[in-house]
Amino acid sequence: MKADQPNYVFNLSDVEVETLRRAALERNLSFDANKRTYSAAELSEYGLVREAYNSQELREMGVVNNKVVTSFDFEASSARETLLVDAPFASQIRKWQIPVDICEWRVFIAEFPKGTKVDPHVHAANTPASPGGSMRTVLKGSINYANRQYRPGDWFFIPNGIPYSFTTDHDQETVVMYKYAFFAVAEGNRFSHPIEIERYRVAATDAA
């Protein structure tokens, strides 16, 4: 699912331009260091996906840091529509950011239809020493990852730079709380550039 319409225009921050540069290098595409304005369709050509809403966007939507927020609140239920993010490696996933502005991680809820297969892919490491990564906690249903079944209450963390894929419960919808620390998230970055596993292997071979 794509969160933004193809013609939606983004004005990129410094860290988002750096994310675009990294994606261009990884994909052997041209890159203009002086260009700051891109449509969602243009960013998609570089493989960029919206991972989050930054603090400014959240404030514009009424999300503030000085009050308690729970799953029972209107902000939480409306986030399912207003804070959608991208889910490029499986079909029909609905994934949205929780309306809480804590910048070291972004936190999401992801809904997977029965028997979803998330295709093999890898998220680029933020840096070699501090790669970042993603943590998933199963709330409903189950995830089959690395020959183990994760049920409600179970969780797993995957550092960026490690390829992975998984499948979900074949008998019911699976719901997951997903925390992700991607490149420069604390500086307001909204994008990452994960790649398919075959492209990752080719890039690693070329680098060697």
Side-chain angles (χ1 to χ4, degrees):
M1 174 178 289
K2 296 295 289 182
D4 300 294
Q5 293 297 317
N7 60 351
Y8 184 85
V9 174
F10 290 95
N11 292 309
L12 303 190
S13 66
D14 289 345
V15 292
E16 291 169 341
V17 171
E18 171 60 14
T19 300
L20 185 64
R21 185 194 69 80
R22 293 182 179 196
L25 182 65
E26 200 167 53
R27 291 162 171 76
N28 197 28
L29 298 172
S30 61
F31 166 74
D32 181 354
N34 296 313
K35 184 176 178 182
R36 294 288 174 135
T37 302
Y38 290 84
S39 69
E42 288 175 310
L43 293 178
S44 183
E45 291 175 5
Y46 286 87
L48 262 66
V49 297
R50 182 194 270 273
E51 291 289 0
Y53 294 80
N54 63 24
S55 295
Q56 179 180 337
E57 289 175 317
L58 291 173
R59 283 194 299 271
E60 290 170 354
M61 295 180 186
V63 175
V64 295
N65 289 333
N66 60 353
K67 71 172 188 175
V68 173
V69 182
T70 78
S71 58
F72 295 101
D73 295 334
F74 171 75
E75 293 93 335
S77 59
S78 64
R80 191 175 185 273
E81 303 296 333
T82 59
L83 293 178
L84 283 169
V85 295
D86 292 338
F89 291 99
S91 62
Q92 298 182 320
I93 294 176
R94 190 172 194 86
K95 179 175 157 188
W96 69 94
Q97 184 172 325
I98 290 176
V100 175
D101 188 14
I102 296 178
C103 289
E104 294 300 325
W105 297 80
R106 290 300 186 191
V107 185
F108 312 88
I109 298 292
E111 297 175 338
F112 298 84
K114 297 178 187 177
T116 294
K117 181 181 186 299
V118 174
D119 293 330
H121 65 285
V122 60
H123 298 258
N126 302 350
T127 68
S130 183
S134 57
M135 176 177 285
R136 292 169 177 84
T137 302
V138 177
L139 305 179
K140 174 185 175 184
S142 65
I143 287 179
N144 294 295
Y145 165 68
N147 299 316
R148 187 181 290 273
Q149 187 174 54
Y150 293 80
R151 301 177 187 276
D154 296 332
W155 58 269
F156 57 96
F157 173 78
I158 303 175
N160 292 339
I162 295 180
Y164 70 93
S165 65
F166 60 81
T167 58
T168 68
D169 200 307
H170 285 277
D171 297 322
Q172 62 177 316
E173 175 189 58
T174 293
V175 180
V176 171
M177 179 174 284
Y178 171 69
K179 296 174 67 178
Y180 187 27
F182 53 96
F183 171 68
V185 61
E187 287 76 51
N189 191 12
R190 294 169 287 181
F191 305 101
S192 76
H193 54 102
I195 57 174
E196 304 89 343
I197 195 64
E198 286 306 317
R199 186 190 293 270
Y200 170 75
R201 288 171 176 157
V202 169
T205 300
D206 290 345

